[in-house]
Short mmCIF file of all heavy atoms in Angstrom, two decimals:
data_model
loop_
_atom_site.label_atom_id
_atom_site.label_comp_id
_atom_site.label_asym_id
_atom_site.label_seq_id
_atom_site.Cartn_x
_atom_site.Cartn_y
_atom_site.Cartn_z
N MET A 982 0.81 -1.19 0.00
CA MET A 982 0.00 0.00 0.00
C MET A 982 0.86 1.26 0.00
O MET A 982 0.36 2.31 -0.31
CB MET A 982 -0.85 0.04 1.27
CG MET A 982 -2.25 -0.47 1.27
SD MET A 982 -3.15 -0.33 -0.20
CE MET A 982 -4.65 0.33 0.25
N GLY A 983 2.11 1.15 0.36
CA GLY A 983 2.98 2.32 0.51
C GLY A 983 3.24 3.02 -0.80
O GLY A 983 2.36 3.63 -1.41
N SER A 984 4.46 2.93 -1.31
CA SER A 984 4.80 3.64 -2.53
C SER A 984 4.49 2.76 -3.75
O SER A 984 4.34 1.56 -3.66
CB SER A 984 6.29 4.00 -2.52
OG SER A 984 7.06 2.81 -2.53
N PHE A 985 4.41 3.43 -4.88
CA PHE A 985 4.14 2.72 -6.12
C PHE A 985 5.42 2.10 -6.66
O PHE A 985 6.52 2.61 -6.45
CB PHE A 985 3.56 3.68 -7.17
CG PHE A 985 2.20 4.18 -6.81
CD1 PHE A 985 2.00 5.50 -6.44
CD2 PHE A 985 1.11 3.34 -6.86
CE1 PHE A 985 0.75 5.96 -6.13
CE2 PHE A 985 -0.15 3.80 -6.55
CZ PHE A 985 -0.33 5.11 -6.17
N SER A 986 5.28 1.01 -7.39
CA SER A 986 6.44 0.37 -8.00
C SER A 986 6.80 1.09 -9.30
O SER A 986 6.08 1.98 -9.76
CB SER A 986 6.15 -1.10 -8.28
OG SER A 986 5.19 -1.21 -9.32
N ILE A 987 7.89 0.70 -9.89
CA ILE A 987 8.34 1.31 -11.14
C ILE A 987 7.32 1.08 -12.25
O ILE A 987 7.14 1.94 -13.12
CB ILE A 987 9.75 0.79 -11.53
CG1 ILE A 987 10.32 1.57 -12.72
CG2 ILE A 987 9.70 -0.69 -11.86
CD1 ILE A 987 10.68 2.96 -12.39
N TRP A 988 6.63 -0.04 -12.24
CA TRP A 988 5.64 -0.33 -13.28
C TRP A 988 4.46 0.64 -13.20
O TRP A 988 3.93 1.06 -14.22
CB TRP A 988 5.16 -1.77 -13.18
CG TRP A 988 6.28 -2.72 -13.51
CD1 TRP A 988 6.92 -3.54 -12.65
CD2 TRP A 988 6.90 -2.88 -14.79
NE1 TRP A 988 7.91 -4.22 -13.30
CE2 TRP A 988 7.92 -3.83 -14.63
CE3 TRP A 988 6.69 -2.33 -16.04
CZ2 TRP A 988 8.73 -4.24 -15.67
CZ3 TRP A 988 7.50 -2.74 -17.08
CH2 TRP A 988 8.51 -3.68 -16.90
N HIS A 989 4.06 1.00 -11.99
CA HIS A 989 2.98 1.99 -11.85
C HIS A 989 3.38 3.32 -12.47
O HIS A 989 2.60 3.96 -13.18
CB HIS A 989 2.61 2.19 -10.38
CG HIS A 989 1.92 1.03 -9.77
ND1 HIS A 989 2.55 0.18 -8.88
CD2 HIS A 989 0.66 0.56 -9.91
CE1 HIS A 989 1.71 -0.75 -8.50
NE2 HIS A 989 0.54 -0.56 -9.11
N TRP A 990 4.61 3.78 -12.17
CA TRP A 990 5.08 5.06 -12.70
C TRP A 990 5.24 5.01 -14.22
O TRP A 990 4.97 6.00 -14.90
CB TRP A 990 6.39 5.46 -12.04
CG TRP A 990 6.19 5.83 -10.59
CD1 TRP A 990 6.70 5.18 -9.52
CD2 TRP A 990 5.40 6.91 -10.08
NE1 TRP A 990 6.28 5.78 -8.36
CE2 TRP A 990 5.48 6.85 -8.68
CE3 TRP A 990 4.64 7.91 -10.66
CZ2 TRP A 990 4.82 7.76 -7.87
CZ3 TRP A 990 3.97 8.81 -9.85
CH2 TRP A 990 4.07 8.73 -8.47
N LEU A 991 5.66 3.88 -14.76
CA LEU A 991 5.78 3.76 -16.22
C LEU A 991 4.41 3.82 -16.90
O LEU A 991 4.26 4.45 -17.95
CB LEU A 991 6.50 2.46 -16.60
CG LEU A 991 8.00 2.44 -16.32
CD1 LEU A 991 8.57 1.06 -16.61
CD2 LEU A 991 8.70 3.51 -17.13
N ILE A 992 3.41 3.21 -16.29
CA ILE A 992 2.06 3.27 -16.84
C ILE A 992 1.52 4.70 -16.78
O ILE A 992 0.93 5.20 -17.75
CB ILE A 992 1.13 2.28 -16.12
CG1 ILE A 992 1.55 0.85 -16.46
CG2 ILE A 992 -0.32 2.53 -16.49
CD1 ILE A 992 0.84 -0.21 -15.65
N VAL A 993 1.76 5.39 -15.67
CA VAL A 993 1.33 6.80 -15.55
C VAL A 993 2.03 7.65 -16.59
O VAL A 993 1.40 8.50 -17.25
CB VAL A 993 1.60 7.31 -14.12
CG1 VAL A 993 1.42 8.82 -14.03
CG2 VAL A 993 0.69 6.62 -13.11
N LEU A 994 3.33 7.44 -16.78
CA LEU A 994 4.07 8.19 -17.78
C LEU A 994 3.54 7.92 -19.18
O LEU A 994 3.37 8.85 -19.98
CB LEU A 994 5.56 7.83 -17.70
CG LEU A 994 6.47 8.52 -18.71
CD1 LEU A 994 6.50 10.01 -18.46
CD2 LEU A 994 7.86 7.93 -18.64
N LEU A 995 3.23 6.68 -19.49
CA LEU A 995 2.67 6.33 -20.79
C LEU A 995 1.32 7.01 -21.03
O LEU A 995 1.07 7.55 -22.11
CB LEU A 995 2.52 4.80 -20.90
CG LEU A 995 1.93 4.29 -22.20
CD1 LEU A 995 2.90 4.54 -23.35
CD2 LEU A 995 1.60 2.82 -22.08
N VAL A 996 0.47 7.03 -20.01
CA VAL A 996 -0.84 7.67 -20.15
C VAL A 996 -0.67 9.18 -20.36
O VAL A 996 -1.34 9.79 -21.21
CB VAL A 996 -1.72 7.37 -18.91
CG1 VAL A 996 -2.97 8.23 -18.89
CG2 VAL A 996 -2.08 5.90 -18.88
N VAL A 997 0.24 9.81 -19.61
CA VAL A 997 0.48 11.25 -19.76
C VAL A 997 0.99 11.56 -21.16
O VAL A 997 0.54 12.53 -21.79
CB VAL A 997 1.45 11.74 -18.67
CG1 VAL A 997 1.95 13.14 -18.96
CG2 VAL A 997 0.78 11.70 -17.31
N VAL A 998 1.90 10.75 -21.68
CA VAL A 998 2.43 10.97 -23.03
C VAL A 998 1.33 10.78 -24.06
O VAL A 998 1.24 11.53 -25.04
CB VAL A 998 3.63 10.04 -23.30
CG1 VAL A 998 4.01 10.03 -24.77
CG2 VAL A 998 4.81 10.46 -22.46
N MET A 999 0.47 9.81 -23.84
CA MET A 999 -0.63 9.58 -24.78
C MET A 999 -1.63 10.74 -24.76
O MET A 999 -2.18 11.11 -25.80
CB MET A 999 -1.34 8.27 -24.46
CG MET A 999 -0.52 7.05 -24.83
SD MET A 999 -1.27 5.50 -24.34
CE MET A 999 -2.84 5.56 -25.15
N ILE A 1000 -1.86 11.31 -23.60
CA ILE A 1000 -2.84 12.42 -23.50
C ILE A 1000 -2.26 13.71 -24.08
O ILE A 1000 -2.90 14.38 -24.89
CB ILE A 1000 -3.28 12.61 -22.05
CG1 ILE A 1000 -4.12 11.43 -21.58
CG2 ILE A 1000 -4.05 13.92 -21.88
CD1 ILE A 1000 -4.47 11.45 -20.11
N PHE A 1001 -1.06 14.08 -23.64
CA PHE A 1001 -0.51 15.38 -24.03
C PHE A 1001 0.35 15.34 -25.28
O PHE A 1001 0.47 16.33 -25.97
CB PHE A 1001 0.31 15.96 -22.87
CG PHE A 1001 -0.52 16.32 -21.68
CD1 PHE A 1001 -0.43 15.58 -20.52
CD2 PHE A 1001 -1.38 17.40 -21.71
CE1 PHE A 1001 -1.19 15.90 -19.41
CE2 PHE A 1001 -2.15 17.72 -20.62
CZ PHE A 1001 -2.05 16.98 -19.46
N GLY A 1002 0.99 14.25 -25.55
CA GLY A 1002 1.90 14.17 -26.69
C GLY A 1002 3.28 14.66 -26.31
O GLY A 1002 3.45 15.46 -25.40
N THR A 1003 4.27 14.19 -27.04
CA THR A 1003 5.65 14.53 -26.69
C THR A 1003 5.99 15.99 -26.99
O THR A 1003 6.74 16.62 -26.25
CB THR A 1003 6.63 13.63 -27.45
OG1 THR A 1003 6.38 13.74 -28.85
CG2 THR A 1003 6.48 12.18 -27.01
N LYS A 1004 5.42 16.55 -28.04
CA LYS A 1004 5.74 17.94 -28.40
C LYS A 1004 5.23 18.90 -27.33
O LYS A 1004 5.94 19.81 -26.91
CB LYS A 1004 5.12 18.29 -29.76
CG LYS A 1004 5.50 19.66 -30.23
CD LYS A 1004 4.96 19.93 -31.62
CE LYS A 1004 5.37 21.31 -32.08
NZ LYS A 1004 4.83 21.61 -33.40
N LYS A 1005 4.01 18.68 -26.86
CA LYS A 1005 3.46 19.56 -25.85
C LYS A 1005 4.22 19.42 -24.53
O LYS A 1005 4.46 20.41 -23.84
CB LYS A 1005 1.97 19.25 -25.64
CG LYS A 1005 1.26 20.28 -24.82
CD LYS A 1005 -0.23 20.13 -24.94
CE LYS A 1005 -0.91 21.30 -24.28
NZ LYS A 1005 -2.27 21.43 -24.68
N LEU A 1006 4.61 18.19 -24.18
CA LEU A 1006 5.39 17.99 -22.96
C LEU A 1006 6.76 18.65 -23.07
O LEU A 1006 7.26 19.23 -22.10
CB LEU A 1006 5.54 16.49 -22.67
CG LEU A 1006 4.29 15.78 -22.19
CD1 LEU A 1006 4.55 14.29 -22.07
CD2 LEU A 1006 3.81 16.33 -20.86
N ARG A 1007 7.37 18.59 -24.25
CA ARG A 1007 8.67 19.23 -24.45
C ARG A 1007 8.54 20.75 -24.32
O ARG A 1007 9.37 21.40 -23.67
CB ARG A 1007 9.21 18.87 -25.83
CG ARG A 1007 10.65 19.22 -26.03
CD ARG A 1007 11.20 18.75 -27.38
NE ARG A 1007 10.63 17.48 -27.82
CZ ARG A 1007 10.04 17.31 -29.00
NH1 ARG A 1007 9.95 18.30 -29.85
NH2 ARG A 1007 9.55 16.14 -29.33
N ASN A 1008 7.49 21.31 -24.91
CA ASN A 1008 7.27 22.75 -24.80
C ASN A 1008 7.00 23.16 -23.36
O ASN A 1008 7.48 24.19 -22.90
CB ASN A 1008 6.10 23.18 -25.69
CG ASN A 1008 6.43 23.09 -27.15
OD1 ASN A 1008 7.59 23.01 -27.53
ND2 ASN A 1008 5.40 23.07 -27.99
N MET A 1009 6.22 22.34 -22.65
CA MET A 1009 5.91 22.65 -21.26
C MET A 1009 7.19 22.60 -20.41
O MET A 1009 7.38 23.43 -19.53
CB MET A 1009 4.87 21.65 -20.73
CG MET A 1009 4.30 22.04 -19.41
SD MET A 1009 2.87 21.08 -18.86
CE MET A 1009 3.06 19.50 -19.59
N GLY A 1010 8.07 21.64 -20.70
CA GLY A 1010 9.33 21.55 -19.97
C GLY A 1010 10.22 22.74 -20.21
O GLY A 1010 10.83 23.28 -19.28
N SER A 1011 10.30 23.19 -21.46
CA SER A 1011 11.14 24.35 -21.75
C SER A 1011 10.54 25.63 -21.16
O SER A 1011 11.27 26.50 -20.69
CB SER A 1011 11.35 24.51 -23.25
OG SER A 1011 10.12 24.78 -23.89
N ASP A 1012 9.21 25.74 -21.15
CA ASP A 1012 8.56 26.89 -20.52
C ASP A 1012 8.82 26.92 -19.02
O ASP A 1012 9.09 27.97 -18.44
CB ASP A 1012 7.05 26.87 -20.77
CG ASP A 1012 6.70 27.15 -22.22
OD1 ASP A 1012 7.57 27.66 -22.96
OD2 ASP A 1012 5.55 26.86 -22.61
N LEU A 1013 8.74 25.75 -18.39
CA LEU A 1013 9.00 25.66 -16.95
C LEU A 1013 10.45 26.00 -16.65
O LEU A 1013 10.75 26.73 -15.70
CB LEU A 1013 8.66 24.27 -16.44
CG LEU A 1013 8.85 24.02 -14.95
CD1 LEU A 1013 7.92 24.90 -14.15
CD2 LEU A 1013 8.62 22.57 -14.62
N GLY A 1014 11.37 25.52 -17.47
CA GLY A 1014 12.79 25.84 -17.28
C GLY A 1014 13.06 27.33 -17.44
O GLY A 1014 13.82 27.92 -16.68
N GLY A 1015 12.41 27.94 -18.42
CA GLY A 1015 12.57 29.39 -18.62
C GLY A 1015 12.00 30.18 -17.45
O GLY A 1015 12.57 31.21 -17.05
N ALA A 1016 10.90 29.71 -16.90
CA ALA A 1016 10.30 30.40 -15.75
C ALA A 1016 11.20 30.30 -14.53
O ALA A 1016 11.38 31.28 -13.80
CB ALA A 1016 8.92 29.81 -15.44
N VAL A 1017 11.78 29.13 -14.31
CA VAL A 1017 12.69 28.96 -13.17
C VAL A 1017 13.93 29.83 -13.35
O VAL A 1017 14.40 30.47 -12.41
CB VAL A 1017 13.06 27.47 -13.00
CG1 VAL A 1017 14.19 27.29 -12.01
CG2 VAL A 1017 11.85 26.67 -12.58
N LYS A 1018 14.45 29.87 -14.57
CA LYS A 1018 15.63 30.69 -14.84
C LYS A 1018 15.32 32.18 -14.63
O LYS A 1018 16.11 32.91 -14.04
CB LYS A 1018 16.11 30.45 -16.27
CG LYS A 1018 17.39 31.16 -16.60
CD LYS A 1018 17.88 30.81 -17.99
CE LYS A 1018 19.19 31.50 -18.29
NZ LYS A 1018 19.66 31.17 -19.63
N GLY A 1019 14.16 32.61 -15.10
CA GLY A 1019 13.75 34.00 -14.89
C GLY A 1019 13.56 34.32 -13.43
O GLY A 1019 13.92 35.41 -12.96
N PHE A 1020 13.01 33.38 -12.67
CA PHE A 1020 12.83 33.58 -11.24
C PHE A 1020 14.18 33.72 -10.54
O PHE A 1020 14.37 34.60 -9.70
CB PHE A 1020 12.03 32.42 -10.64
CG PHE A 1020 11.85 32.51 -9.16
CD1 PHE A 1020 10.94 33.40 -8.63
CD2 PHE A 1020 12.59 31.72 -8.30
CE1 PHE A 1020 10.76 33.50 -7.26
CE2 PHE A 1020 12.42 31.80 -6.94
CZ PHE A 1020 11.50 32.69 -6.41
N LYS A 1021 15.13 32.85 -10.90
CA LYS A 1021 16.46 32.93 -10.29
C LYS A 1021 17.14 34.24 -10.63
O LYS A 1021 17.78 34.86 -9.78
CB LYS A 1021 17.32 31.75 -10.76
CG LYS A 1021 16.96 30.44 -10.12
CD LYS A 1021 17.88 29.33 -10.61
CE LYS A 1021 17.53 28.01 -9.99
NZ LYS A 1021 18.41 26.94 -10.48
N ASP A 1022 17.03 34.69 -11.89
CA ASP A 1022 17.62 35.97 -12.28
C ASP A 1022 16.97 37.12 -11.53
O ASP A 1022 17.65 38.05 -11.10
CB ASP A 1022 17.47 36.18 -13.79
CG ASP A 1022 18.35 35.26 -14.61
OD1 ASP A 1022 19.30 34.68 -14.04
OD2 ASP A 1022 18.06 35.10 -15.81
N GLY A 1023 15.66 37.04 -11.36
CA GLY A 1023 14.96 38.09 -10.60
C GLY A 1023 15.37 38.12 -9.15
O GLY A 1023 15.52 39.20 -8.55
N MET A 1024 15.57 36.96 -8.56
CA MET A 1024 16.01 36.91 -7.17
C MET A 1024 17.44 37.44 -7.03
O MET A 1024 17.76 38.12 -6.07
CB MET A 1024 15.93 35.48 -6.62
CG MET A 1024 14.52 34.97 -6.48
SD MET A 1024 13.52 35.94 -5.35
CE MET A 1024 14.29 35.52 -3.81
N LYS A 1025 18.27 37.14 -8.03
CA LYS A 1025 19.66 37.61 -7.98
C LYS A 1025 19.68 39.13 -8.14
O LYS A 1025 20.41 39.82 -7.44
CB LYS A 1025 20.47 36.94 -9.09
CG LYS A 1025 21.93 37.31 -9.07
CD LYS A 1025 22.76 36.51 -10.05
CE LYS A 1025 22.12 36.38 -11.39
NZ LYS A 1025 22.97 35.76 -12.40
N ASP A 1026 18.88 39.68 -9.04
CA ASP A 1026 18.82 41.12 -9.25
C ASP A 1026 18.22 41.82 -8.03
O ASP A 1026 18.66 42.90 -7.66
CB ASP A 1026 17.98 41.46 -10.49
CG ASP A 1026 18.66 41.03 -11.78
OD1 ASP A 1026 19.88 40.77 -11.75
OD2 ASP A 1026 17.96 40.97 -12.80
N GLY A 1027 17.25 41.22 -7.41
CA GLY A 1027 16.61 41.83 -6.24
C GLY A 1027 17.52 41.88 -5.03
O GLY A 1027 17.49 42.82 -4.26
N SER A 1028 18.40 40.90 -4.87
CA SER A 1028 19.28 40.88 -3.71
C SER A 1028 20.45 41.84 -3.88
O SER A 1028 21.04 42.28 -2.91
CB SER A 1028 19.80 39.47 -3.46
OG SER A 1028 20.60 39.04 -4.54
N SER A 1029 20.80 42.21 -5.12
CA SER A 1029 21.93 43.10 -5.34
C SER A 1029 21.55 44.57 -5.23
O SER A 1029 22.41 45.42 -5.16
CB SER A 1029 22.54 42.84 -6.72
OG SER A 1029 21.61 43.20 -7.73
N SER A 1030 20.27 44.88 -5.19
CA SER A 1030 19.85 46.28 -5.08
C SER A 1030 20.05 46.77 -3.65
O SER A 1030 20.13 46.00 -2.71
CB SER A 1030 18.40 46.45 -5.51
OG SER A 1030 17.57 45.78 -4.58
N ASP A 1031 20.10 48.08 -3.48
CA ASP A 1031 20.33 48.70 -2.18
C ASP A 1031 19.04 48.62 -1.35
O ASP A 1031 18.05 49.25 -1.70
CB ASP A 1031 20.76 50.15 -2.37
CG ASP A 1031 21.14 50.83 -1.07
OD1 ASP A 1031 21.38 50.10 -0.07
OD2 ASP A 1031 21.21 52.07 -1.06
N PRO A 1032 19.04 47.89 -0.24
CA PRO A 1032 17.81 47.77 0.55
C PRO A 1032 17.46 49.05 1.28
O PRO A 1032 16.33 49.26 1.68
CB PRO A 1032 18.11 46.64 1.53
CG PRO A 1032 19.59 46.58 1.63
CD PRO A 1032 20.10 47.06 0.30
N ALA A 1033 18.43 49.98 1.47
CA ALA A 1033 18.16 51.22 2.18
C ALA A 1033 17.48 52.25 1.29
O ALA A 1033 16.91 53.22 1.77
CB ALA A 1033 19.46 51.80 2.74
N ALA A 1034 17.57 52.07 -0.02
CA ALA A 1034 16.96 53.02 -0.95
C ALA A 1034 15.45 52.89 -0.88
O ALA A 1034 14.91 51.79 -0.95
CB ALA A 1034 17.44 52.76 -2.37
N PRO A 1035 14.75 54.00 -0.74
CA PRO A 1035 13.28 53.92 -0.67
C PRO A 1035 12.69 53.56 -2.02
O PRO A 1035 13.17 54.01 -3.06
CB PRO A 1035 12.86 55.32 -0.24
CG PRO A 1035 13.97 56.21 -0.71
CD PRO A 1035 15.24 55.37 -0.61
#
Side-chain angles (χ1 to χ4, degrees):
M982 265 329 228
S984 64
F985 293 110
S986 70
I987 189 70
W988 294 110
H989 289 106
W990 291 116
L991 287 175
I992 292 171
V993 169
L994 179 65
L995 179 68
V996 169
V997 168
V998 168
M999 287 175 57
I1000 291 173
F1001 293 109
T1003 56
K1004 185 176 181 181
K1005 192 165 189 164
L1006 288 175
R1007 193 176 325 126
N1008 290 343
M1009 191 170 29
S1011 64
D1012 290 344
L1013 181 64
V1017 169
K1018 185 176 182 180
F1020 178 76
K1021 285 181 180 179
D1022 290 343
M1024 292 300 290
K1025 184 173 44 173
D1026 291 344
S1028 64
S1029 66
S1030 67
D1031 185 17

